[in-house]
Amino acid sequence: QRVTAASTWSSSSSSSSSSSSSSSSSNSTPTAEQVARWRADTPGLVAAGSVVHLNNAGSSLPVASTLDTVQSYLREEALFGGYEQEESSRPQLDAIYSRLARMLGCDDDEVALAESATLGWQLLFHSIPFEAGDYILTTHAEYASSYLAFLQARQRHRVHVHVIPHDRRTGRVCLSSLADLLAKHPVRLVSIAHVPTNGGLVQPAAEVGALCARHPRALFLLDACQTAGQLPLDVRALRCDMLTATGRKYLRAPRGTGFLYVRRETMLGQLGEPALLDLHGAQWGPSLDTYELRADARRFENWEASWALRLGLGEAVRYYLDEVRPGVAWQRIRQLATELRSRLSALAPRVQLRDLGGEEHRCGLVTLSVGGHESAEALKRLAAHLRSEHRINVSVSAASSTLLDMSERGLDAVLRASVHYYNTESELERFVAALQAFLRDR
């Protein structure tokens, strides 16, 4: 009997409406045994000379079962044929959508897969039927790829792009200002990054969603690139019309995976057609000069895809929901990030924390400036030093990624250390000690 690679993880999953409530309800602090098991499940942490991986906001280390799922599927494609393997694995492939729906608290038919969060975001954004004079509202820390699309829409559709005022102390969007803008202008879209790429600030997404819900024409698009897998997500509670995220960051899925959510009523009643259509998203007919769109979110997909990588995404989501649990992951990440900020504060004034907001509004991204090494190039050299001399992975967030915010604060770049639930306190100590040694020698 042939056993497919996809069958190595269960295809059973509860329907969307069960949401992620069961897996996010527990917010208990994980035990040392749980952390040890998560680390044992991660090849990159048990191999000889393993790294201290603090670049989880870039791309996390995958668990062994995700790696095995991808490799097994590719092996079976080679043995049995690509089309044949896809056909025999159809129940497991369809279950990817159920797992994502469970994580997001939505229905399966409101989820689509994409090769990246950016692609999913662009597909949704460019399906919005903007009219001249419409307003796009966004935040001062919006990601460059999104803001470029706003500028493009301004040229194409003559819309207005307006940055919502923010509290200069906390960095969070000013909700009263947003309410005023929604009341005074023909707002078509409110688009925010749940967590900006250059800092640990968590925006008040649910409050933004509640304000947008009072204005039916104002769509709410949430970029959850840094929050999927980090903190619990419930699209019904967030009241977002659309959401996009990647697999490679906190979900620990392979690169080249992402997904989108679109509320059924929004898709059918307020969005136009996808900018790109093929025979997967629409059916040619019934006449030779007509076509019919799919009735579900998969109208935003294309036919060709790497099912091996997508199965890896499905397995990563399963591990997050069942082996870790969202509430536990969030508790652990916040605890580690708070400790890391405390340790780094002791290195002042040479090291200056750059995360906005109070600790209650922060997440696992920790950003800092290093005296004498403020430029992007200098910080890249520091990151390379940490990697080559200490096997510590961190990253650099340059001003070009969040130009409005970084320009306002006069920053060329920040060093970003992003913790995950599998990191340990001793790894944080090792990072701070390596940074301290670097400063002492210079």
Side-chain angles (χ1 to χ4, degrees):
Q1 182 180 3
R2 178 180 169 194
V3 180
T4 66
S7 66
T8 60
W9 60 284
S10 170
S11 63
S12 64
S13 103
S14 59
S15 166
S16 51
S17 26
S18 68
S19 86
S20 57
S21 58
S22 62
S23 52
S24 63
S25 57
S26 173
N27 291 308
S28 61
T29 301
T31 64
E33 290 75 17
Q34 284 177 295
V35 176
R37 178 169 58 81
W38 297 335
R39 292 179 66 80
D41 288 344
T42 306
L45 299 177
V46 297
S50 60
V51 300
V52 173
H53 193 69
L54 298 176
N55 190 16
N56 297 291
S59 184
S60 291
L61 299 177
V63 297
S65 59
T66 295
L67 187 62
D68 292 342
T69 296
V70 174
Q71 292 176 331
S72 297
Y73 189 87
L74 288 173
R75 216 166 19 244
E76 293 188 2
E77 273 192 332
L79 292 174
F80 302 108
Y83 284 18
E84 293 74 16
Q85 180 63 18
E86 178 185 353
E87 182 179 354
S88 66
S89 303
R90 180 47 54 190
Q92 290 78 24
L93 300 176
D94 287 341
I96 301 168
Y97 298 88
S98 300
R99 294 191 183 279
L100 287 167
R102 177 184 161 203
M103 181 180 73
L104 297 173
C106 64
D107 293 327
D108 297 11
D109 64 356
E110 295 177 303
V111 175
L113 302 176
E115 285 66 42
S116 70
T118 297
L119 177 60
W121 191 98
Q122 296 283 354
L123 288 169
L124 291 172
F125 177 80
H126 289 291
S127 70
I128 299 172
F130 290 109
E131 299 176 2
D134 281 345
Y135 273 66
I136 295 173
L137 304 184
T138 189
T139 69
H140 75 294
E142 195 71 6
Y143 190 56
S145 294
S146 303
Y147 207 86
L148 289 170
F150 302 152
L151 297 178
Q152 189 178 51
R154 186 169 68 182
Q155 292 179 350
R156 289 180 175 178
H157 306 296
R158 292 181 293 160
V159 300
H160 302 281
V161 180
H162 190 92
V163 176
I164 308 163
H166 62 280
D167 184 320
R168 293 185 182 276
R169 181 181 58 87
T170 68
R172 298 188 104 203
V173 65
C174 177
L175 295 172
S176 60
S177 295
L178 173 59
D180 289 342
L181 289 167
L182 286 165
K184 294 177 180 177
H185 301 289
V187 176
R188 193 68 175 110
L189 176 68
V190 177
S191 177
I192 70 169
H194 204 175
V195 167
T197 191
N198 66 330
L201 176 70
V202 182
Q203 292 283 11
E207 291 86 343
V208 171
L211 289 174
C212 291
R214 302 175 188 173
H215 303 270
R217 193 173 179 272
L219 300 175
F220 178 28
L221 171 55
L222 182 65
D223 174 0
C225 205
Q226 294 292 2
T227 47
Q230 180 174 188
L231 56 85
L233 295 173
D234 182 339
V235 294
R236 305 302 189 217
L238 292 167
R239 303 185 76 169
C240 56
D241 292 283
M242 300 166 283
L243 176 148
T244 58
T246 185
R248 64 180 160 86
K249 296 180 184 288
Y250 279 90
L251 280 172
R252 309 178 65 188
R255 297 193 68 175
T257 60
F259 57 93
L260 63 86
Y261 154 80
V262 56
R263 192 170 69 97
R264 184 182 302 106
E265 293 79 6
T266 299
M267 180 182 66
L268 298 178
Q270 290 187 270
L271 296 185
E273 295 185 355
L276 303 173
L277 276 181
D278 72 358
L279 75 172
H280 177 78
Q283 182 175 353
W284 191 4
S287 67
L288 295 178
D289 57 357
T290 60
Y291 59 88
E292 294 180 351
L293 291 171
R294 288 186 65 130
D296 59 14
R298 298 190 208 184
R299 65 172 60 180
F300 290 99
E301 297 179 349
N302 288 322
W303 184 84
E304 182 58 31
S306 170
W307 285 111
L309 295 181
R310 289 183 171 184
L311 276 173
L313 171 64
E315 170 58 19
V317 173
R318 183 207 66 79
Y319 188 89
Y320 172 61
L321 292 175
D322 299 336
E323 305 296 330
V324 181
R325 302 175 72 86
V328 175
W330 179 223
Q331 179 82 355
R332 172 70 176 172
I333 291 169
R334 292 186 69 183
Q335 171 194 340
L336 289 172
T338 298
E339 178 171 344
L340 179 56
R341 291 189 187 97
S342 177
R343 289 177 178 270
L344 289 169
S345 295
L347 302 185
R350 290 293 301 277
V351 171
Q352 185 175 356
L353 291 171
R354 292 298 185 179
D355 296 324
L356 297 174
E359 201 60 43
E360 71 277 12
H361 298 142
R362 290 174 177 170
C363 64
L365 282 70
V366 179
T367 56
L368 54 139
S369 295
V370 179
H373 305 273
E374 290 88 353
S375 71
E377 289 305 314
L379 287 176
K380 288 177 183 177
R381 288 192 294 270
L382 169 55
H385 167 82
L386 292 170
R387 184 169 58 251
S388 62
E389 299 299 321
H390 301 278
R391 297 190 62 77
I392 297 173
N393 295 338
V394 294
S395 62
V396 176
S397 183
S400 57
S401 294
T402 47
L403 194 57
L404 294 177
D405 177 48
M406 298 287 270
S407 297
E408 180 180 286
R409 294 197 277 164
L411 297 172
D412 186 55
V414 291
L415 193 71
R416 187 181 70 187
S418 44
V419 300
H420 214 321
Y421 57 74
Y422 57 64
N423 288 123
T424 64
E425 290 79 358
S426 62
E427 288 181 326
L428 306 186
E429 183 178 354
R430 183 172 155 190
F431 166 59
V432 174
L435 186 58
Q436 193 170 22
F438 175 85
L439 293 173
R440 186 172 56 245
D441 296 339
R442 286 161 177 79

